[in-house]
Amino acid sequence: MCSTGGPMADIDLKKLKTKRYRCLDCGNDFKGLGRKVICPSCQSDNVECKE
């Protein structure tokens, strides 16, 4: 068996600081995290932060 990286971290997703975003292409409202946020519906990176 082959593996890469270390053991999986036990992350509590509810404690992560997510922001609300709106996709300017399809109008989807969603929560995102990170520097390069992509709409989960249409995969566009044309999004704006609502906070």
Side-chain angles (χ1 to χ4, degrees), residues 21-37:
Y21 289 91
R22 179 174 183 85
C23 179
L24 300 177
D25 289 337
C26 73
N28 183 34
D29 289 324
F30 61 95
K31 289 183 181 179
L33 179 68
R35 294 181 184 180
K36 182 73 171 171
V37 178

Side-chain angles (χ1 to χ4, degrees), residues 1-24:
M1 181 196 273
C2 189
S3 67
T4 59
M8 290 293 294
D10 189 19
I11 299 173
D12 185 2
L13 296 177
K14 293 178 183 174
K15 291 184 180 179
L16 293 176
K17 303 258 181 183
T18 59
K19 294 183 181 178
R20 301 286 305 160
Y21 289 91
R22 179 174 183 85
C23 179
L24 300 177

